[in-house]
Amino acid sequence: MSTTKPVNQKAWWLVLPVVICVAFSAVLPLMTVVNYSLQDIISPERRVFVGTEWFVAAMRDEELHGALWRQLTFSLAVLAVEIPLGIMLALSMPAKGWKASAVLVVVSLSLLIPWNVVGTIWQIYGRADIGLLGAMLQKMGFDYSYTGNATHAWITVLTMDVWHWTPLVALLCYAGLRSIPDAYYQAASIDGASRFAVFRYIQLPKMRGVLMIAVLLRFMDSFMIYTEPFVLTGGGPGNATTFLSEYLTQKAVGQFDVGPAAAFSLIYFLIILLLCFILYNWMQRVGTASKEGAGHE
Amino acid sequence: MFDWMVWTTPVAVFFTSIALMLAGMTVWEIKSPTILRKGFLPIATTRGDRLFIGLLGAAYINLAFVGLAGKFAAWFQLEQEPSVWISFAISMVVLVLVMRKG
């Protein structure tokens, strides 16, 4: 490196507005949460530094452990259903013409409905007396009740999430599929590749990027699910559908206890940070591995 | 000046050290750019990745420690729960280990 270009570093100043915005909207609030998590704040004048007390309380809270397991199971179930279903939906959607536009509109409809309305829709839909689904299941001989039976409540919340969010996965996959050049399909048909081989070796690898976004988005969103189960079941029956954020709200924010709430939030934040880091790296690795594999063939 | 936000000294110390770490990493990166390498961690990492993993690990070690401190006291028949400074020391050792060998 004998001849280096003179570099003008003044452009860094242009980043300053963003830095200030992010500092005020994200970094400082997060620092505040850390600060609150170490204190018992009765009022700004009356506050006690309690050290790790709230963290100790949170870490030894059996109900929190329960909510965490329920949450993990729920999020994994969401991924296990929505990702394959979304891919299948995207594969069966028409590629061009008026049909494609029509299907896109229909598929994306559920994404336009606000969360609390989705909860209300399903609450009525599942009711045994006036709801279409609930009444039909009753007529068919199933004693279905999402308010009384924990399993039913759980399945209803899962179905609601699938109903609400599978279209997002489908749309992302659809976008991925449309970006595959025709030449790939032509080459495959010359080689006499089966439908499954086309999916496995052309469509799936080409969808890797969008699938990664879909998995991360769905995992994050389902991990932070609040409004829909709150409206549908209110966390019940018992605490069968009390997921993490619901529990957090019940225990901490509802009582205006900022200390424990802050400690909870930080633990929650750390869990999400770790899971996203693992997921991201895992998907990156799957991607590089399949690329290397393709190089050898 | 910052009294109304009830800031405390330990939090200030915590964030100052984080900021110093980030600044230090930036200077280090400019002086000698990092090389992607593979240590005992299952993925190839840069220096920044290892700092992130180390800090995240440190947070988890401390959380696990305060969660289990009651059990530790029972197992080792201590009169009171062990100090969080022990887990802090362990987590810093882990951080250094991840940075050097990860």
Side-chain angles (χ1 to χ4, degrees):
Chain A
M1 296 280 270
S2 54
T3 52
T4 43
K5 262 188 179 175
V7 184
N8 187 342
Q9 301 276 15
K10 276 179 195 154
W12 284 107
W13 291 108
L14 299 176
V15 188
L16 200 62
V18 176
V19 173
I20 293 172
C21 279
V22 172
F24 267 88
S25 64
V27 180
L28 279 171
L30 187 66
M31 287 166 70
T32 320
V33 173
V34 174
N35 185 36
Y36 287 170
S37 72
L38 301 173
Q39 301 183 69
D40 191 359
I41 299 172
I42 298 123
S43 74
E45 291 78 34
R46 290 177 59 212
R47 55 198 170 89
V48 190
F49 185 83
V50 295
T52 56
E53 195 176 303
W54 300 132
F55 288 95
V56 173
M59 290 302 291
R60 294 177 196 177
D61 185 346
E62 290 297 327
E63 280 182 65
L64 179 70
H65 298 168
L68 178 62
W69 284 122
R70 273 195 293 282
Q71 183 67 71
L72 273 175
T73 323
F74 178 74
S75 290
L76 291 177
V78 159
L79 286 186
V81 176
E82 287 180 18
I83 298 295
L85 198 61
I87 294 175
M88 281 199 281
L89 209 60
L91 286 172
S92 54
M93 277 157 70
K96 41 175 117 41
W98 68 270
K99 280 182 191 164
S101 320
V103 167
L104 278 177
V105 171
V106 172
V107 164
S108 49
L109 268 182
S110 73
L111 295 173
L112 303 175
I113 306 173
W115 284 258
N116 49 350
V117 179
V118 170
T120 315
I121 289 175
W122 276 81
Q123 194 198 30
I124 297 169
Y125 189 49
R127 273 177 65 162
D129 49 353
I130 57 166
L132 192 59
L133 175 76
M136 266 176 64
L137 286 172
Q138 288 284 351
K139 287 270 187 312
M140 286 159 72
F142 291 108
D143 191 20
Y144 169 80
S145 158
Y146 65 78
T147 48
N149 185 312
T151 318
H152 293 175
W154 214 85
I155 292 172
T156 312
V157 173
L158 181 64
T159 318
M160 176 173 65
D161 198 84
V162 169
W163 178 86
H164 194 184
W165 289 110
T166 308
L168 178 78
V169 181
L171 288 180
L172 282 168
C173 292
Y174 185 75
L177 283 174
R178 293 290 82 79
S179 69
I180 303 173
D182 268 346
Y184 283 86
Y185 293 115
Q186 287 158 6
S189 71
I190 290 169
D191 288 346
S194 68
R195 182 72 196 81
F196 179 75
V198 170
F199 172 71
R200 172 65 188 82
Y201 295 105
I202 297 175
Q203 291 171 324
L204 200 57
K206 283 284 172 190
M207 279 195 293
R208 191 180 61 86
V210 287
L211 271 181
M212 189 166 117
I213 298 170
V215 169
L216 279 177
L217 272 180
R218 281 318 302 136
F219 189 80
M220 292 288 290
D221 268 357
S222 66
F223 209 81
M224 296 186 279
I225 191 167
Y226 176 72
T227 317
E228 292 142 300
F230 177 72
V231 174
L232 183 70
T233 62
N239 53 11
T241 52
T242 303
F243 299 118
L244 266 188
S245 49
E246 176 108 32
Y247 182 68
L248 178 75
T249 317
Q250 269 178 17
K251 289 288 159 183
V253 182
Q255 298 159 7
F256 294 100
D257 231 346
V258 281
F264 263 179
S265 309
L266 283 176
I267 294 171
Y268 198 3
F269 173 67
L270 282 173
I271 295 170
I272 290 194
L273 206 58
L274 177 70
L275 289 171
C276 283
F277 180 76
I278 293 172
L279 266 181
Y280 180 79
N281 274 294
W282 171 65
M283 300 208 75
Q284 287 284 55
R285 200 163 144 183
V286 170
T288 22
S290 73
K291 265 183 204 158
E292 278 163 10
H296 289 306
E297 277 162 20
Chain B
M1 182 182 170
F2 296 114
D3 237 22
W4 59 277
M5 279 180 87
V6 296
W7 289 108
T8 51
T9 321
V11 176
V13 172
F14 175 73
F15 280 112
T16 310
S17 31
I18 297 274
L20 283 177
M21 266 185 217
L22 292 180
M25 291 293 284
T26 312
V27 173
W28 194 2
E29 183 66 32
I30 293 168
K31 294 274 179 210
S32 82
T34 173
I35 304 156
L36 194 68
R37 69 165 166 80
K38 175 92 175 58
F40 68 80
L41 291 168
I43 48 169
T45 51
T46 62
R47 210 183 281 146
D49 293 335
R50 286 193 295 278
L51 179 71
F52 175 78
I53 294 167
L55 285 178
L56 198 60
Y60 272 88
I61 290 170
N62 281 299
L63 275 182
F65 189 86
V66 295
L68 295 171
K71 295 217 169 96
F72 287 149
W75 289 340
F76 303 117
Q77 288 154 0
L78 304 175
E79 277 172 22
Q80 56 188 23
E81 288 181 6
S83 154
V84 284
W85 291 108
I86 298 171
S87 67
F88 177 75
I90 297 170
S91 63
M92 285 304 109
V93 171
V94 170
L95 177 61
V96 171
L97 206 68
V98 169
M99 284 300 280
R100 293 290 295 269
K101 307 265 180 190

